[in-house]
Amino acid sequence: MINLAVVGCGNMASELAKRSVDTGRANIAAIHDPNPDNLKKRCEEFSADPVTDINNLLGRADIDAYLIGSPGYYHHENVLTLAKDGKPIYSEKPLSTTVPLCNDMIAICKQYGVKLFVGQVLRLFPLFWKSKEIIDSGVIGSAKLCSVTRTSRGMHYQSGWRSSLKESGGPLLETHSHELDYLIFLLGAPESVYAQGLNLNGFGDYVESMFVQIKFLGGGIGLMYGSNASPVGDYRVYIQCDSGNIVHGGFGGELKYQSFSDEKPTIVQKSEFENDLNPYNRELISFFDWIEKDTPPLFTGETGRANVAIADAAYKSIETSSIVKI
Protein backbone atom coordinates (compact mmCIF):
# COMPACT_ATOMS: atom_id res chain seq x y z
CA MET A 1 0.00 0.00 0.00
CA ILE A 2 1.17 3.51 -0.87
CA ASN A 3 0.65 5.90 2.03
CA LEU A 4 -0.51 9.26 0.68
CA ALA A 5 -0.56 12.69 2.25
CA VAL A 6 -3.35 14.78 0.71
CA VAL A 7 -2.93 18.56 0.44
CA GLY A 8 -6.33 20.22 0.27
CA CYS A 9 -9.82 19.32 1.50
CA GLY A 10 -11.88 20.54 -1.44
CA ASN A 11 -14.19 18.43 -3.57
CA MET A 12 -11.54 17.40 -6.11
CA ALA A 13 -8.91 16.51 -3.52
CA SER A 14 -11.46 14.46 -1.60
CA GLU A 15 -12.65 12.68 -4.74
CA LEU A 16 -9.07 11.78 -5.66
CA ALA A 17 -8.45 10.55 -2.12
CA LYS A 18 -11.55 8.32 -2.26
CA ARG A 19 -10.59 6.93 -5.64
CA SER A 20 -7.02 6.32 -4.48
CA VAL A 21 -8.37 4.14 -1.68
CA ASP A 22 -10.84 2.46 -4.07
CA THR A 23 -7.98 1.26 -6.28
CA GLY A 24 -6.81 -0.92 -3.40
CA ARG A 25 -3.33 0.50 -3.89
CA ALA A 26 -3.28 3.42 -1.46
CA ASN A 27 -4.09 4.58 2.03
CA ILE A 28 -4.62 8.17 3.22
CA ALA A 29 -2.10 8.67 6.04
CA ALA A 30 -2.40 12.42 6.55
CA ILE A 31 -4.30 15.46 5.26
CA HIS A 32 -3.21 19.10 5.25
CA ASP A 33 -5.57 22.07 4.89
CA PRO A 34 -5.56 25.56 6.43
CA ASN A 35 -9.32 25.35 7.17
CA PRO A 36 -9.70 23.54 10.53
CA ASP A 37 -13.36 22.60 10.01
CA ASN A 38 -12.75 21.07 6.58
CA LEU A 39 -9.62 19.35 7.87
CA LYS A 40 -11.43 17.76 10.81
CA LYS A 41 -14.26 16.48 8.60
CA ARG A 42 -11.99 14.92 5.97
CA CYS A 43 -9.61 13.37 8.50
CA GLU A 44 -12.54 11.68 10.21
CA GLU A 45 -13.74 10.42 6.83
CA PHE A 46 -10.39 8.85 5.95
CA SER A 47 -9.11 8.09 9.49
CA ALA A 48 -6.16 10.28 8.59
CA ASP A 49 -3.80 12.40 10.65
CA PRO A 50 -4.68 16.15 10.52
CA VAL A 51 -1.76 18.43 9.67
CA THR A 52 -2.18 22.22 9.86
CA ASP A 53 1.41 23.11 8.86
CA ILE A 54 2.50 21.59 5.55
CA ASN A 55 6.12 21.54 6.73
CA ASN A 56 5.14 18.96 9.34
CA LEU A 57 4.57 16.45 6.53
CA LEU A 58 8.24 16.45 5.63
CA GLY A 59 10.44 13.58 6.75
CA ARG A 60 7.60 11.34 7.93
CA ALA A 61 8.34 7.64 7.42
CA ASP A 62 4.60 6.86 7.15
CA ILE A 63 4.20 9.00 3.99
CA ASP A 64 5.28 7.61 0.59
CA ALA A 65 3.85 10.21 -1.81
CA TYR A 66 1.85 13.42 -1.99
CA LEU A 67 -1.47 14.21 -3.66
CA ILE A 68 -2.10 17.95 -4.16
CA GLY A 69 -5.64 19.20 -4.73
CA SER A 70 -5.42 22.81 -3.54
CA PRO A 71 -6.41 25.77 -5.81
CA GLY A 72 -4.15 26.08 -8.85
CA TYR A 73 -1.97 29.01 -7.74
CA TYR A 74 -1.00 27.22 -4.52
CA HIS A 75 0.27 24.13 -6.34
CA HIS A 76 3.53 26.04 -6.88
CA GLU A 77 4.13 26.77 -3.21
CA ASN A 78 3.07 23.26 -2.18
CA VAL A 79 5.33 21.51 -4.68
CA LEU A 80 8.33 23.69 -3.82
CA THR A 81 7.85 22.79 -0.15
CA LEU A 82 7.19 19.07 -0.61
CA ALA A 83 9.75 18.35 -3.33
CA LYS A 84 12.52 18.69 -0.72
CA ASP A 85 11.20 15.45 0.78
CA GLY A 86 12.21 13.56 -2.37
CA LYS A 87 8.87 11.74 -2.66
CA PRO A 88 6.57 11.47 -5.73
CA ILE A 89 3.98 14.21 -6.17
CA TYR A 90 0.59 14.10 -7.92
CA SER A 91 -0.66 17.61 -8.69
CA GLU A 92 -4.23 18.15 -9.81
CA LYS A 93 -4.61 20.34 -12.91
CA PRO A 94 -3.69 23.03 -13.67
CA LEU A 95 -0.06 22.38 -12.82
CA SER A 96 0.06 26.05 -11.86
CA THR A 97 -1.28 29.36 -13.18
CA THR A 98 1.70 30.68 -15.19
CA VAL A 99 4.56 29.13 -17.16
CA PRO A 100 7.29 30.56 -14.87
CA LEU A 101 5.60 28.94 -11.85
CA CYS A 102 5.39 25.63 -13.75
CA ASN A 103 9.07 25.94 -14.65
CA ASP A 104 9.95 26.38 -10.97
CA MET A 105 7.99 23.25 -10.05
CA ILE A 106 9.51 21.10 -12.77
CA ALA A 107 13.03 22.33 -11.96
CA ILE A 108 12.86 21.67 -8.22
CA CYS A 109 11.39 18.20 -8.80
CA LYS A 110 14.30 17.40 -11.11
CA GLN A 111 16.72 18.79 -8.54
CA TYR A 112 15.44 16.45 -5.83
CA GLY A 113 14.72 13.49 -8.13
CA VAL A 114 10.97 13.75 -7.57
CA LYS A 115 8.42 12.20 -9.94
CA LEU A 116 5.90 14.96 -10.78
CA PHE A 117 2.53 13.80 -12.18
CA VAL A 118 -0.31 16.11 -13.27
CA GLY A 119 -4.02 15.16 -13.42
CA GLN A 120 -5.01 15.88 -17.04
CA VAL A 121 -7.81 13.34 -16.94
CA LEU A 122 -10.06 14.54 -19.79
CA ARG A 123 -8.22 12.71 -22.56
CA LEU A 124 -8.92 9.43 -20.70
CA PHE A 125 -12.71 9.77 -20.91
CA PRO A 126 -14.16 7.27 -23.41
CA LEU A 127 -15.06 9.40 -26.42
CA PHE A 128 -11.97 11.59 -26.12
CA TRP A 129 -9.68 8.55 -25.92
CA LYS A 130 -11.57 6.78 -28.73
CA SER A 131 -11.17 9.80 -31.04
CA LYS A 132 -7.37 9.59 -30.67
CA GLU A 133 -7.44 5.83 -31.29
CA ILE A 134 -9.38 6.41 -34.54
CA ILE A 135 -6.90 9.05 -35.69
CA ASP A 136 -3.93 6.87 -34.77
CA SER A 137 -5.42 3.98 -36.78
CA GLY A 138 -5.14 6.06 -39.97
CA VAL A 139 -8.66 5.27 -41.24
CA ILE A 140 -9.49 8.96 -41.68
CA GLY A 141 -5.95 10.30 -41.89
CA SER A 142 -4.23 12.64 -39.46
CA ALA A 143 -5.93 15.44 -37.52
CA LYS A 144 -5.66 18.88 -39.11
CA LEU A 145 -8.32 21.03 -37.47
CA CYS A 146 -10.19 20.59 -34.20
CA SER A 147 -12.76 22.72 -32.39
CA VAL A 148 -14.00 22.12 -28.86
CA THR A 149 -17.01 23.91 -27.35
CA ARG A 150 -17.62 23.83 -23.60
CA THR A 151 -20.22 26.20 -22.20
CA SER A 152 -22.19 26.41 -18.94
CA ARG A 153 -23.50 28.98 -16.47
CA GLY A 154 -20.54 28.58 -14.10
CA MET A 155 -22.06 30.14 -10.98
CA HIS A 156 -19.34 28.61 -8.78
CA TYR A 157 -17.00 31.23 -10.30
CA GLN A 158 -19.02 34.03 -8.70
CA SER A 159 -17.03 34.18 -5.46
CA GLY A 160 -14.09 32.69 -3.60
CA TRP A 161 -10.76 31.67 -5.12
CA ARG A 162 -12.34 30.78 -8.48
CA SER A 163 -13.24 34.44 -9.02
CA SER A 164 -9.55 35.39 -8.88
CA LEU A 165 -7.39 35.10 -12.00
CA LYS A 166 -4.28 34.86 -9.82
CA GLU A 167 -5.58 32.04 -7.63
CA SER A 168 -7.47 29.96 -10.20
CA GLY A 169 -5.91 30.87 -13.54
CA GLY A 170 -9.42 31.83 -14.66
CA PRO A 171 -11.63 29.54 -16.76
CA LEU A 172 -8.81 28.77 -19.21
CA LEU A 173 -6.98 26.87 -16.48
CA GLU A 174 -9.54 26.01 -13.82
CA THR A 175 -11.86 24.46 -16.43
CA HIS A 176 -10.43 24.61 -19.95
CA SER A 177 -6.95 23.33 -19.18
CA HIS A 178 -8.69 20.04 -20.02
CA GLU A 179 -9.78 21.16 -23.47
CA LEU A 180 -6.40 22.78 -24.19
CA ASP A 181 -4.68 19.54 -23.20
CA TYR A 182 -7.00 17.58 -25.50
CA LEU A 183 -6.10 19.81 -28.44
CA ILE A 184 -2.41 19.17 -27.70
CA PHE A 185 -3.19 15.43 -27.46
CA LEU A 186 -4.64 15.52 -30.98
CA LEU A 187 -2.51 18.14 -32.74
CA GLY A 188 0.86 18.18 -30.95
CA ALA A 189 2.98 21.06 -29.68
CA PRO A 190 1.47 24.58 -29.95
CA GLU A 191 3.19 27.44 -31.79
CA SER A 192 1.04 30.55 -31.39
CA VAL A 193 -2.31 31.78 -30.08
CA TYR A 194 -4.88 34.40 -31.01
CA ALA A 195 -7.74 34.92 -28.56
CA GLN A 196 -10.67 37.26 -27.96
CA GLY A 197 -13.05 37.33 -25.04
CA LEU A 198 -15.61 39.21 -22.94
CA ASN A 199 -16.76 39.28 -19.32
CA LEU A 200 -20.53 38.83 -19.60
CA ASN A 201 -21.32 37.61 -16.07
CA GLY A 202 -19.83 40.67 -14.40
CA PHE A 203 -17.95 38.70 -11.75
CA GLY A 204 -14.34 37.66 -11.60
CA ASP A 205 -11.35 39.73 -12.74
CA TYR A 206 -11.06 38.01 -16.13
CA VAL A 207 -12.99 37.32 -19.33
CA GLU A 208 -15.16 34.22 -18.97
CA SER A 209 -16.43 33.86 -22.54
CA MET A 210 -13.77 33.45 -25.21
CA PHE A 211 -12.55 32.05 -28.49
CA VAL A 212 -8.97 30.75 -28.45
CA GLN A 213 -7.41 29.84 -31.81
CA ILE A 214 -4.15 27.90 -31.71
CA LYS A 215 -1.64 27.22 -34.46
CA PHE A 216 0.36 24.03 -33.92
CA LEU A 217 3.93 23.31 -34.96
CA GLY A 218 2.78 20.40 -37.13
CA GLY A 219 0.51 22.69 -39.15
CA GLY A 220 -2.75 21.90 -37.35
CA ILE A 221 -5.29 24.48 -36.18
CA GLY A 222 -7.32 24.30 -32.96
CA LEU A 223 -10.24 26.37 -31.71
CA MET A 224 -11.55 26.35 -28.15
CA TYR A 225 -14.83 28.14 -27.39
CA GLY A 226 -15.52 28.37 -23.69
CA SER A 227 -18.09 30.30 -21.69
CA ASN A 228 -19.28 30.38 -18.10
CA ALA A 229 -22.15 32.70 -19.07
CA SER A 230 -24.30 30.15 -20.91
CA PRO A 231 -27.53 29.00 -19.20
CA VAL A 232 -28.01 26.60 -22.12
CA GLY A 233 -24.76 24.70 -21.81
CA ASP A 234 -23.18 22.55 -24.51
CA TYR A 235 -20.22 20.27 -25.14
CA ARG A 236 -19.23 19.48 -28.70
CA VAL A 237 -16.08 18.32 -30.48
CA TYR A 238 -15.37 18.52 -34.23
CA ILE A 239 -12.18 16.98 -35.64
CA GLN A 240 -11.30 17.40 -39.32
CA CYS A 241 -8.69 14.98 -40.67
CA ASP A 242 -7.14 14.92 -44.13
CA SER A 243 -9.42 12.10 -45.31
CA GLY A 244 -12.47 12.25 -43.05
CA ASN A 245 -13.83 13.67 -39.81
CA ILE A 246 -15.07 12.94 -36.29
CA VAL A 247 -17.90 14.51 -34.28
CA HIS A 248 -18.58 13.66 -30.66
CA GLY A 249 -20.37 14.98 -27.60
CA GLY A 250 -17.55 14.91 -25.09
CA PHE A 251 -18.66 13.32 -21.84
CA GLY A 252 -21.84 11.77 -23.16
CA GLY A 253 -23.79 10.55 -26.15
CA GLU A 254 -22.00 9.16 -29.15
CA LEU A 255 -19.08 9.57 -31.52
CA LYS A 256 -19.42 9.51 -35.31
CA TYR A 257 -16.63 9.24 -37.83
CA GLN A 258 -16.52 8.78 -41.59
CA SER A 259 -13.83 8.73 -44.27
CA PHE A 260 -14.24 10.37 -47.67
CA SER A 261 -14.75 6.93 -49.23
CA ASP A 262 -17.34 5.63 -46.73
CA GLU A 263 -21.02 5.79 -47.61
CA LYS A 264 -22.17 6.32 -44.02
CA PRO A 265 -20.60 7.13 -40.65
CA THR A 266 -19.48 4.62 -38.05
CA ILE A 267 -21.21 5.32 -34.73
CA VAL A 268 -19.62 4.61 -31.35
CA GLN A 269 -21.85 4.85 -28.27
CA LYS A 270 -20.44 5.97 -24.94
CA SER A 271 -22.38 3.08 -23.37
CA GLU A 272 -19.96 0.68 -25.09
CA PHE A 273 -17.35 1.75 -22.52
CA GLU A 274 -19.47 1.40 -19.38
CA ASN A 275 -17.33 -1.41 -17.98
CA ASP A 276 -14.02 0.32 -18.68
CA LEU A 277 -11.82 1.55 -15.85
CA ASN A 278 -12.92 4.94 -14.53
CA PRO A 279 -10.68 7.70 -16.00
CA TYR A 280 -9.76 9.08 -12.56
CA ASN A 281 -8.85 5.60 -11.31
CA ARG A 282 -6.85 5.05 -14.47
CA GLU A 283 -4.69 8.14 -13.98
CA LEU A 284 -4.16 7.36 -10.28
CA ILE A 285 -3.10 3.81 -11.13
CA SER A 286 -0.65 5.26 -13.66
CA PHE A 287 0.81 7.41 -10.86
CA PHE A 288 1.03 4.43 -8.51
CA ASP A 289 2.64 2.25 -11.21
CA TRP A 290 5.19 4.99 -11.84
CA ILE A 291 6.02 4.99 -8.11
CA GLU A 292 6.23 1.22 -7.63
CA LYS A 293 7.28 -0.13 -11.03
CA ASP A 294 8.80 2.90 -12.77
CA THR A 295 6.23 2.39 -15.56
CA PRO A 296 6.18 5.43 -17.90
CA PRO A 297 3.41 7.75 -16.63
CA LEU A 298 0.43 8.99 -18.61
CA PHE A 299 1.19 12.61 -17.61
CA THR A 300 4.15 14.55 -16.25
CA GLY A 301 4.87 18.12 -15.21
CA GLU A 302 5.76 18.89 -18.82
CA THR A 303 2.26 17.73 -19.86
CA GLY A 304 0.74 20.22 -17.45
CA ARG A 305 3.02 23.08 -18.47
CA ALA A 306 2.02 22.78 -22.16
CA ASN A 307 -1.61 23.79 -21.65
CA VAL A 308 -0.63 26.51 -19.16
CA ALA A 309 1.55 27.96 -21.95
CA ILE A 310 -1.49 28.19 -24.24
CA ALA A 311 -3.56 29.87 -21.51
CA ASP A 312 -0.74 32.32 -20.76
CA ALA A 313 -0.54 33.23 -24.44
CA ALA A 314 -4.33 33.50 -24.76
CA TYR A 315 -4.65 35.97 -21.89
CA LYS A 316 -1.81 38.05 -23.38
CA SER A 317 -3.49 37.91 -26.78
CA ILE A 318 -6.80 39.15 -25.36
CA GLU A 319 -4.95 41.98 -23.61
CA THR A 320 -2.94 43.06 -26.66
CA SER A 321 -5.30 42.09 -29.52
CA SER A 322 -2.40 40.31 -31.20
CA ILE A 323 -1.07 36.88 -32.09
CA VAL A 324 1.20 35.62 -29.28
CA LYS A 325 4.02 33.15 -29.89
CA ILE A 326 4.47 30.36 -27.38
Side-chain angles (χ1 to χ4, degrees):
M1 296 289 282
I2 296 169
N3 291 318
L4 294 172
V6 178
V7 176
C9 287
N11 291 336
M12 196 65 243
S14 300
E15 178 68 15
L16 290 170
K18 289 174 188 174
R19 291 196 173 278
S20 295
V21 173
D22 288 346
T23 67
R25 301 275 299 276
N27 173 62
I28 309 303
I31 301 176
H32 161 71
D33 194 278
N35 185 311
D37 294 333
N38 288 350
L39 184 61
K40 182 176 184 292
K41 177 183 175 183
R42 295 304 182 192
C43 285
E44 288 174 354
E45 182 180 351
F46 291 101
S47 299
D49 181 25
V51 178
T52 54
D53 184 345
I54 193 170
N55 291 287
N56 291 336
L57 293 171
L58 303 178
R60 287 181 47 160
D62 63 337
I63 294 173
D64 302 313
Y66 295 105
L67 193 159
I68 297 174
S70 54
Y73 176 71
Y74 301 100
H75 294 175
H76 174 261
E77 179 184 340
N78 292 333
V79 167
L80 263 59
T81 298
L82 299 174
K84 298 169 188 175
D85 215 17
K87 296 170 183 176
I89 296 173
Y90 174 113
S91 172
E92 179 50 22
K93 65 81 200 160
L95 182 61
S96 192
T97 52
T98 69
V99 170
L101 295 180
C102 292
N103 288 339
D104 283 350
M105 296 161 73
I106 291 168
I108 198 167
C109 286
K110 287 182 178 176
Q111 179 184 342
Y112 287 96
V114 169
K115 293 175 175 178
L116 178 60
F117 190 101
V118 64
Q120 293 292 166
V121 72
L122 180 87
R123 61 169 81 174
L124 302 180
F125 277 82
L127 299 186
F128 295 94
W129 189 261
K130 183 64 178 177
S131 67
K132 184 64 161 62
E133 284 188 338
I134 293 165
I135 292 166
D136 288 346
S137 75
V139 295
I140 57 171
S142 58
K144 298 300 180 185
L145 301 101
C146 179
S147 77
V148 184
T149 295
R150 183 174 186 170
T151 61
S152 66
R153 185 65 178 96
M155 294 302 291
H156 55 297
Y157 282 85
Q158 189 168 0
S159 60
W161 63 269
R162 286 188 178 88
S163 65
S164 163
L165 180 63
K166 178 181 177 180
E167 289 190 84
S168 70
L172 274 182
L173 288 176
E174 174 56 20
T175 299
H176 302 305
S177 61
H178 284 309
E179 283 68 45
L180 300 180
D181 176 68
Y182 180 57
L183 290 172
I184 294 168
F185 186 45
L186 297 179
L187 296 167
E191 178 182 321
S192 61
V193 174
Y194 180 69
Q196 292 180 301
L198 299 169
N199 184 322
L200 301 175
N201 278 321
F203 51 74
D205 59 349
Y206 45 71
V207 298
E208 93 293 281
S209 301
M210 68 200 80
F211 289 96
V212 179
Q213 184 168 312
I214 308 149
K215 182 181 178 184
F216 290 84
L217 289 171
I221 300 170
L223 178 66
M224 198 284 298
Y225 166 44
S227 176
N228 287 332
S230 304
V232 181
D234 190 24
Y235 205 116
R236 186 64 45 186
V237 176
Y238 296 91
I239 305 167
Q240 183 63 54
C241 296
D242 47 23
S243 56
N245 75 312
I246 301 172
V247 178
H248 71 83
F251 295 101
E254 62 186 19
L255 176 151
K256 297 180 181 180
Y257 69 97
Q258 185 172 348
S259 73
F260 293 162
S261 59
D262 291 336
E263 292 185 2
K264 59 181 182 178
T266 298
I267 299 175
V268 179
Q269 300 290 342
K270 178 180 174 286
S271 58
E272 296 177 31
F273 302 93
E274 283 179 345
N275 296 322
D276 283 7
L277 186 64
N278 177 276
Y280 293 101
N281 291 46
R282 185 177 169 192
E283 67 172 355
L284 287 164
I285 287 170
S286 174
F287 178 54
F288 300 152
D289 283 347
W290 194 20
I291 294 171
E292 294 187 325
K293 307 172 187 176
D294 208 30
T295 305
L298 286 168
F299 315 118
T300 64
E302 286 79 5
T303 313
R305 179 175 58 190
N307 57 72
V308 174
I310 294 178
D312 255 4
Y315 286 131
K316 288 173 187 171
S317 179
I318 291 169
E319 221 174 280
T320 61
S321 300
S322 63
I323 296 172
V324 176
K325 292 275 188 182
I326 292 181

